[in-house]
Amino acid sequence: MTELPTAALERIAAALERLAPQAPVSADPLAHPAYLWRGEMLQPARGFAPLPLAMLQGLDRQREALVTNLERLADGHAAQDVLLWGARGTGKSALVKASVAAVQATRPGRLALVSVDTLDSLPALFAMLEGVDRAFVLFIDDLGFDEAGEARRLRSLLDGGAEARPAHVRLLVTANRRHLLPRDLSEQDSAINPRDVVDDQLALADRFGLSLGFHALDQDGYLAIVRAYTDRHDLPFDGAEAVNWATRRGSRSGRVAWQYIVDLAGRLGRAL
């Protein structure tokens, strides 16, 4: 068998290298307002355009507390990890994104949002952001655990474990339950010390220095959200129709209000 000359082998290798897909590269952590973290690299979030804070009705207390905490973080001051808990569709995720955008507007380039969907890779993300001269909020949306072991893993990450977490990186977590873990009274029946079971379930929530509760809306609060949307998008306001929409869905929330607005705009031949 005739051996190919070295030069020919080098040309073939170079051609194969050009044909091979390029390894993905993380986005510049200083260049974008928001990112996605999928366990290996940062990806810029496309179209990061949260609602203005003024659009979020009935959340003045939560808004003030969250924005103040994020301003401290962006300014390089001590800031808390935050748990936003409560009824579904009440604006938890919307408030996180709107608050980050509001702080970014007053402190350009000093704060970024990173949406995280896997807890196991958080240590790698901490390491990546360690030396970056910018504050980051890691956003974990709709968190819940079926097993206590998963909760203990997050508790260790919040506490730093054996490796300190960067001071300019804080977690913002939304959940439908205040205590994150489902509470089953039957567990207490078989526990050597029933109080230990309850304490273990509360321990994760206690790791968050700032806990903000969100509660189901009354009718006036729901209609205030609907009116804010109709004013913003120049749509007619019909309170009775909006209430009927919510009644048929068995829920009054910011999410239901937005779904009504989408339906209304669609019926009127309008885009949003």
Side-chain angles (χ1 to χ4, degrees):
M1 181 176 179
T2 304
E3 293 187 2
L4 291 174
T6 301
L9 290 173
E10 290 176 348
R11 288 196 299 271
I12 292 172
L16 290 174
E17 186 174 340
R18 288 193 296 271
L19 291 173
Q22 295 295 316
V25 178
S26 266
D28 182 350
L30 296 173
H32 304 280
Y35 301 85
L36 307 177
W37 172 256
R38 296 295 179 255
E40 296 180 354
M41 65 177 185
L42 287 175
Q43 301 174 8
R46 294 179 307 209
F48 181 64
L51 288 171
L53 274 175
M55 287 287 295
L56 302 177
Q57 301 292 311
L59 300 176
D60 294 347
R61 181 185 60 81
Q62 296 93 329
R63 176 177 60 199
E64 181 180 356
L66 184 56
V67 168
T68 297
N69 192 63
L70 293 177
E71 288 174 341
R72 292 172 181 169
L73 180 63
D75 291 341
H77 304 155
Q80 304 282 6
D81 296 303
V82 186
L83 173 64
L84 302 91
W85 60 271
R88 67 187 189 277
T90 49
K92 300 183 294 292
S93 300
L95 181 62
V96 167
K97 291 178 280 191
S99 297
V100 169
V103 174
Q104 289 173 338
T106 60
R107 293 159 172 78
R110 288 160 60 181
L111 179 69
L113 178 75
V114 182
S115 178
V116 176
D117 67 356
T118 170
L119 295 179
D120 290 340
S121 64
L122 277 178
L125 181 55
F126 292 157
M128 176 181 289
L129 300 178
E130 174 71 43
V132 180
D133 187 20
R134 191 183 195 187
F136 293 88
V137 288
L138 310 187
F139 179 37
I140 304 175
D141 197 19
D142 196 20
L143 181 66
F145 299 106
D146 294 324
E147 298 180 4
E150 296 175 328
R152 293 190 186 101
R153 188 179 310 123
L154 180 56
R155 275 163 42 190
S156 177
L157 291 170
L158 286 165
D159 284 342
E163 190 173 15
R165 181 158 50 105
H168 64 292
V169 177
R170 299 292 94 180
L171 269 65
L172 267 62
V173 172
T174 69
N176 291 335
R177 291 188 299 263
R178 182 177 187 179
H179 300 134
L180 299 176
L181 282 166
R183 302 184 65 182
D184 186 350
L185 292 178
S186 65
E187 293 178 349
Q188 300 183 42
D189 295 337
S190 60
I192 295 174
N193 184 346
R195 183 63 194 173
D196 290 345
V197 176
V198 178
D199 285 346
D200 193 53
Q201 292 177 333
L202 299 179
L204 177 54
D206 289 346
R207 295 303 195 277
F208 293 89
L210 180 58
S211 179
L212 302 175
F214 293 70
H215 306 286
L217 292 169
D218 59 17
Q219 183 167 296
D220 289 342
Y222 166 74
L223 289 176
I225 294 174
V226 171
R227 184 176 286 280
Y229 278 131
T230 57
D231 290 348
R232 178 177 175 82
H233 296 288
D234 193 25
L235 295 168
F237 174 79
D238 186 331
E241 184 181 76
V243 168
N244 183 54
W245 174 275
T247 300
R248 286 187 282 120
R249 276 147 189 79
S251 173
R252 290 189 297 258
S253 69
R255 181 177 299 146
V256 170
W258 175 246
Q259 291 167 349
Y260 166 71
I261 292 298
V262 171
D263 182 76
L264 175 60
R267 285 188 278 116
L268 295 176
R270 299 274 300 278
L272 295 172

